Structures are given as C-alpha cells and as structure tokens.
Amino acid sequence: MEIRRLSTSPRILIVDSSVEARDILSTLLRRQGAETIETAHTASATALLQQQEPDLIVYDDESASSSSSQEKLDLSRSASRSATPIVVLGTGKRQIRPLPTEHFVTKPYHYGPLIRRIESLLEIRGATRDR
C-alpha cells in the first residue's frame, strides 16, 4: 500500500471507542506526517475540536452509538462553525443524524482508501484556507 506523505502536519481528531482502531489509524496517519488527537467519546470530541482545532475529524458512528443525539448534534454544529470536515465510518450509507456528511466510508473498509480520502479532504481544506 503506497500512500503519499502529507505535505503539512495536519491535525486529525479520531473519535472511536475501539482503542485498537484508534491506534491503527493514528499510527498510519502519523506515518504520513499528520498529528492525531484521539478520544473514545463524542462529548469529549466536541471539547477537543474547540481546544485543539483539528483540520479533520474521523468519526466511527457505530462505536459512538452510545452517544446521545445531543452530543452528536453539538459535535456537528461545532465542526460546521469551524468548517471542519467529518469522515463518518459506518456499515451502511444512510442518513446519519445529526452528523450529515457526504464523506461516508462504509465498513468494512481498507485503511489505504480511507487514508487517501483523508488526504484528499485535507488538500481541499488547505486550498480553501489559502484563499
């Protein structure tokens, strides 16, 4: 799996209750030059979004199923205010409420294509910020 190295050091917030999944994704992203911030809980993700100002959020919708609708709504609103894209991981493309996104990755997924999707979104976000 060849993935090009990220040009800058983007900050990526990973929200997943699985320590193993967070570790794998975080390791792969750090190898590409990204800085990662990790949490298992949606409520702490909202606080981290405001404090750490990540460039992108990777959110496992299934592992966060214990999150309340209000916590998801708070995260979605905070991300929207800061124009932070959210990549949602889940088992079926469905209306994710309250985390609507066109950046949906269906499980099971391979890490290579997920990393490439993240790189693409970061490039778009960087181009938008440079204007």
Side-chain angles (χ1 to χ4, degrees):
M1 162 175 79
E2 183 177 332
I3 302 172
R4 67 181 179 273
R5 190 159 172 75
L6 298 169
S7 58
T8 60
S9 293
R11 298 166 62 96
I12 301 170
L13 174 58
I14 302 169
V15 186
D16 194 323
S17 64
S18 167
V19 173
E20 182 178 291
R22 285 195 322 263
D23 284 347
I24 292 169
L25 185 55
S26 183
T27 298
L28 291 171
L29 289 168
R30 284 195 312 266
R31 285 182 185 167
Q32 303 307 356
E35 178 184 341
T36 60
I37 308 155
E38 301 176 31
T39 184
H41 306 286
T42 305
S44 59
T46 302
L48 286 168
L49 174 62
Q50 294 167 353
Q51 296 165 359
Q52 301 290 323
E53 300 178 353
D55 297 294
L56 184 132
I57 300 166
V58 177
Y59 183 89
D60 188 317
D61 188 50
E62 290 175 3
S63 74
S65 62
S66 63
S67 299
S68 73
S69 292
Q70 187 60 50
E71 289 170 338
K72 291 180 181 184
L73 183 59
D74 291 345
L75 178 61
S76 178
R77 285 181 177 160
S78 292
S80 179
R81 279 193 293 274
S82 62
T84 306
I86 302 175
V87 175
V88 177
L89 310 175
T91 55
K93 190 154 187 167
R94 62 189 193 279
Q95 183 66 20
I96 299 175
R97 296 184 188 252
L99 285 173
T101 180
E102 69 256 19
H103 311 298
F104 188 90
V105 176
T106 304
K107 288 183 172 184
Y109 57 86
H110 294 282
Y111 284 99
L114 175 59
I115 300 293
R116 285 190 288 280
R117 169 80 64 92
I118 290 168
E119 289 174 338
S120 175
L121 290 170
L122 289 170
E123 287 175 10
I124 292 167
R125 183 167 168 82
T128 305
R129 282 186 171 186
D130 292 341
R131 290 182 189 165

